[in-house]
Amino acid sequence: MHIRFTPVRLAIAAAVLAIGSQAQAQNAPIKVGLMLPATGTFANLGTMIENGFKMYVAEQGGKLGGNEVQYFKVDDESDPAKAADNVNKLIKRDQVDVLVGTVHSGVALAMAKAAKESNTLLIVPNAGADVVTGPMCGKNIFRSSFSNWQPAYAMGKVAAERGHKKVMTITWNYAAGNESVKGFVEGFEAAGGKVSQQLNLPFPQVEFQALLTQIASQKPDAVYAFFAGGGAVKFVKDYAAAGLMKSAPLYGPGFLTDGTLEAQGEAAQGMYTTLHYADNLNTPRDNAFRLAFAKAYKVNADVYAVQGYDAAQMLAAGLKAAGGDIKNRDKLVAGMEAAEIDSPRGKFKLSAAHNPVQDIYLRQVKGNVNEVKGVAVKALADPAKGCKM
Ligand code: BEZ
């Protein structure tokens, strides 16, 4: 039998093919590459981020922008030395559409570099490395969390307002710790304080005794510390056990007491920290989120869960603007840039450098809760020094 390809028939066949391939593109699962720590001092933070992300997807019926979601996972071990290999497993081997990661700033730097080189979409759901939304910023790079400068700068201001004049700092010697201290010094010294000495130890070491002895001998008014996860639990307990809490109150960004309070127990009581989230915001949005999270995962939500949840919300906003087509990068990016994210922390938009512009809360530990005491700095935007889009 001969089929005659008249111009009309050809036009119809082309249209059918076009509709078919469009539908296929829209229905192809979105490949999400989760690069998070599953082992080491930040393992629990990685789990909370993953659970937050997946909870938002589950709330949308398991889809984003009308597409099924397929996950690819790599344990980055919070090890910068393995980061380039790890991220390339997701980009080259698994050919993911979007990278979501990570917790550790040093690892995030390698992810941002690989994302830039391959033009892969990246959403950072924790790591605060200032340069990611500074000199390394790009159309394909977004953050749902914070820059290291944001909570640190706010705490510098709070420490000065609380009357402290001479403060020491202590942290792990890596990007996040050093940038956090820098942000604190900026806020504290601009408000009239003086940082007398900066102490550090290699990441992820937790042998704090020698440094605590130095703090005791220097007798500062207060101490600012950046630690998180398992390291934060040990540091706060050691600090309290050294008898320093009364003579030199301990301050920090909220990572010092977020997701750690059950383990820190009595040691953390009364501590003030600054962060873009608190446990008792008591808004309908946050209450609903916390209830759903507790039901789904049998643990209370923390800042990491919120950041994972919001990373998924940001992606959903982009996909909505792109009609569900992850390959329509221009529309996807424009949608993410324009979105107002209805976060459990409070609504936020992104800065021109793609970092949240957000309220930084002052919180105080009471029992197992980081209680909100007020807003330390309203709608704080990272300065994004060196970002050229
Ligand atoms: C970071 O490396 O950027 C980081 C890690 C844990 C908590 C906060 C920041």
Side-chain angles (χ1 to χ4, degrees), residues 42 45 78 102-108 124 126-130 143 145-148 151 172 174-177 179-180 203 226-229 253-256 275 303-304 307:
F42 291 158
L45 287 57
S78 294
T102 185
V103 170
H104 183 288
S105 275
V107 177
V124 179
N126 183 69
D130 292 339
R143 184 150 51 196
S145 52
F146 61 94
S147 75
N148 288 321
W172 281 312
Y174 84 114
E179 289 174 355
S180 184
F203 175 89
F226 170 95
F227 294 103
F255 315 111
L256 207 50
L275 202 62
V303 70
Y304 308 106
Q307 294 168 169

Side-chain angles (χ1 to χ4, degrees), residues 178 271 295 347:
N178 296 331
M271 275 180 62
K295 272 192 186 157
K347 290 184 180 170

Side-chain angles (χ1 to χ4, degrees), residues 83-101:
D85 281 349
N86 280 332
V87 72
N88 277 322
K89 284 181 196 154
L90 294 170
I91 295 174
K92 296 194 175 137
R93 183 192 65 195
D94 302 330
Q95 304 205 324
V96 299
D97 296 306
V98 52
L99 290 164
V100 177

Side-chain angles (χ1 to χ4, degrees), residues 23-217:
Q24 203 179 20
Q26 284 187 4
N27 291 332
I30 308 269
K31 295 169 84 173
V32 175
L34 294 174
M35 180 154 151
L36 294 165
T39 48
T41 197
F42 291 158
N44 190 45
L45 287 57
T47 305
M48 294 300 269
I49 290 169
E50 179 175 342
N51 289 347
F53 191 98
K54 288 185 170 170
M55 189 173 97
Y56 182 78
V57 175
E59 285 175 0
Q60 315 312 306
K63 293 186 175 183
L64 286 181
N67 306 285
E68 300 288 342
V69 178
Q70 201 178 354
Y71 294 103
F72 297 81
K73 284 174 45 167
V74 166
D75 172 10
D76 69 37
E77 303 170 48
S78 294
D79 186 348
K82 297 181 183 161
D85 281 349
N86 280 332
V87 72
N88 277 322
K89 284 181 196 154
L90 294 170
I91 295 174
K92 296 194 175 137
R93 183 192 65 195
D94 302 330
Q95 304 205 324
V96 299
D97 296 306
V98 52
L99 290 164
V100 177
T102 185
V103 170
H104 183 288
S105 275
V107 177
L109 293 179
M111 290 186 78
K113 184 167 178 286
K116 281 201 108 157
E117 284 165 5
S118 60
N119 194 26
T120 310
L121 184 65
L122 167 65
I123 306 177
V124 179
N126 183 69
D130 292 339
V131 296
V132 165
T133 51
M136 291 188 86
C137 76
K139 277 282 169 196
N140 60 324
I141 296 179
F142 289 82
R143 184 150 51 196
S144 64
S145 52
F146 61 94
S147 75
N148 288 321
W149 178 87
Q150 284 175 306
Y153 173 82
M155 185 41 97
K157 206 174 142 278
V158 168
E161 281 164 10
R162 290 179 62 78
H164 300 302
K165 299 276 181 248
K166 182 183 133 187
V167 170
M168 286 175 78
T169 65
I170 178 166
T171 186
W172 281 312
N173 185 8
Y174 84 114
N178 296 331
E179 289 174 355
S180 184
V181 165
K182 195 161 168 247
F184 174 81
V185 173
E186 190 184 322
F188 186 55
E189 297 200 340
K194 181 83 199 132
V195 170
S196 60
Q197 205 177 350
Q198 301 183 10
L199 306 176
N200 61 47
L201 73 170
F203 175 89
Q205 285 184 18
V206 291
E207 297 314 320
F208 300 117
Q209 281 315 324
L211 298 174
L212 292 175
T213 306
Q214 275 196 58
I215 292 172
S217 71

